[in-house]
Amino acid sequence: MTATDPYTVRLAPGVHAYVQPDGGWCLNNAGFISDGDATLLVDTTATERRARLLREAILLAGVELPRTIVTTHHHGDHTYGNSVFLPEATVVGHEACRSEQLAAGHQLHLIWPGTDFGDVGIIPPSVTYSDRLTLHVGGTEVRVIHPGVAHTRGDSIVHLPEHGIVFTGDLVFQGGTPFVPMGSLRGSLRALDLLRSLDASVVVPGHGPLTDPSAYDATERCLRYVAELAEESYAQGLTPLEAALRADLGEFGELRESERLVANLHRAYAELAGEPEGSPLDVSTVFTDMTTMNDGVPVACHA
């Protein structure tokens, strides 16, 4: 096993996290809960090959393949692998996750045309909810909670109250820069307060190594830095790119994907202009500006 190989961590009886280092673009985390008979999977992966590795990891853990997949949000790195687990599994997610996934289609193929995603279908949730949903895997209660518009319009938090474990989806990028252009900066701050209220001691982020509630404070500091920078630069009439290029990132320059600053500024500017949270931004402009921030090199898909 190398430092870049995915690995499984047993968090509690029947509960595992599946971590894909180094958590960069398209290297998300997943997890599974099982009582030995029924298994629930939290998210899949970005490519067919990686989804098959996840499938093997579930079997190696000695449990059945999932009958249920809970999708934390619509992005392809968390959903492209869904089809590997069909037809046995039913996909569950927020109602906005379904509509966003259908609208996005194979969006990652457009962003990273050179990546071999394999045979991946667009498999949105066939069971949706609006606010909260409780599932049961044997004796384990699985609470699925919509935090409002945050990373996207259709995020879900997966909370296991008995075990003090939470799967945050991309509300948390451990060691990485938050990414809110498809959701809301203000909403992401509210989502962190909701995560704190769950009082979970083990935090499985959407990307990066396993962590604890200190990740909420680290994420909040970064988002508040973006908010303050946006207010100053918006008042000065600077574009998001101009503001990002002039910015002193300080401690946040050590995070992966620091080019995401400009993407987050686009969202902050939209909110300062009075646009509704989650209103569409021009994805092409956002990624073009991130390329400029990345010394003219397009951001790379690590999957």
Side-chain angles (χ1 to χ4, degrees):
M1 178 174 173
T2 70
T4 58
D5 289 337
Y7 59 91
T8 302
V9 179
R10 181 180 181 273
L11 304 177
V15 183
H16 294 79
Y18 183 78
V19 181
Q20 295 193 100
D22 62 350
W25 288 106
C26 288
L27 290 178
N28 69 301
N29 298 331
F32 52 97
I33 302 105
S34 181
D35 68 349
D37 294 322
T39 301
L40 180 151
L41 175 62
V42 180
D43 285 340
T44 56
T45 59
T47 70
E48 179 186 6
R49 179 182 70 84
R50 287 184 173 273
R52 294 198 179 281
L53 289 175
L54 171 58
R55 188 179 188 277
E56 291 174 13
I58 294 170
L59 293 173
L60 284 172
V63 302
E64 296 296 318
L65 291 173
R67 298 178 190 173
T68 305
I69 298 171
V70 175
T71 295
T72 61
H73 61 288
H74 75 279
H75 289 160
D77 53 334
H78 295 254
T79 62
Y80 269 11
N82 286 1
S83 53
V84 166
F85 297 93
L86 266 59
E88 293 80 9
T90 298
V91 182
V92 177
H94 188 262
E95 56 195 18
C97 173
R98 174 179 171 83
S99 60
E100 287 183 315
Q101 192 174 346
L102 290 170
H106 286 103
Q107 191 173 64
L108 296 191
H109 289 65
L110 301 178
I111 297 171
W112 290 292
T115 297
D116 181 10
F117 291 103
D119 183 12
V120 291
I122 302 302
I123 312 295
S126 58
V127 175
T128 62
Y129 75 101
S130 60
D131 183 29
R132 294 183 178 228
L133 175 69
T134 301
L135 303 169
H136 296 272
V137 181
T140 300
E141 181 180 339
V142 181
R143 297 178 183 175
V144 185
I145 306 166
H146 177 52
V149 181
H151 176 63
T152 68
R153 291 176 50 247
D155 295 312
S156 290
I157 294 165
V158 179
H159 180 216
L160 311 183
E162 174 189 355
H163 298 298
I165 297 168
V166 65
F167 295 83
T168 70
D170 285 359
L171 302 178
V172 175
F173 289 80
Q174 179 65 3
T177 305
F179 191 60
V180 301
M182 298 180 187
S184 168
L185 188 142
R186 294 169 184 159
S188 293
L189 290 168
R190 292 195 300 269
L192 292 172
D193 286 337
L194 173 57
L195 284 166
R196 290 186 180 101
S197 76
L198 301 179
D199 199 28
S201 59
V202 177
V203 175
V204 183
H207 295 253
L210 303 180
T211 185
D212 57 44
S214 65
Y216 307 151
D217 294 338
T219 301
E220 180 172 351
R221 286 196 304 273
C222 188
L223 292 175
R224 292 203 181 279
Y225 165 79
V226 173
E228 291 170 7
L229 176 62
E231 288 181 8
E232 294 171 3
S233 56
Y234 185 81
Q236 294 169 9
L238 301 177
T239 67
L241 181 57
E242 289 169 338
L245 289 171
R246 296 183 185 190
D248 176 6
L249 285 172
E251 64 175 302
F252 309 116
E254 300 175 4
L255 299 175
R256 292 186 313 270
E257 292 89 41
S258 60
E259 69 275 0
R260 290 178 179 167
L261 171 63
V262 71
N264 295 332
L265 285 171
H266 273 282
R267 173 53 61 194
Y269 270 44
E271 294 182 0
L272 288 168
E275 295 294 324
E277 295 179 355
S279 57
L281 299 180
D282 186 330
V283 174
S284 176
T285 298
V286 168
F287 272 83
T288 297
D289 282 359
M290 283 196 292
T291 296
T292 302
M293 287 287 294
N294 199 36
D295 297 324
V297 180
V299 295
C301 174
H302 296 181

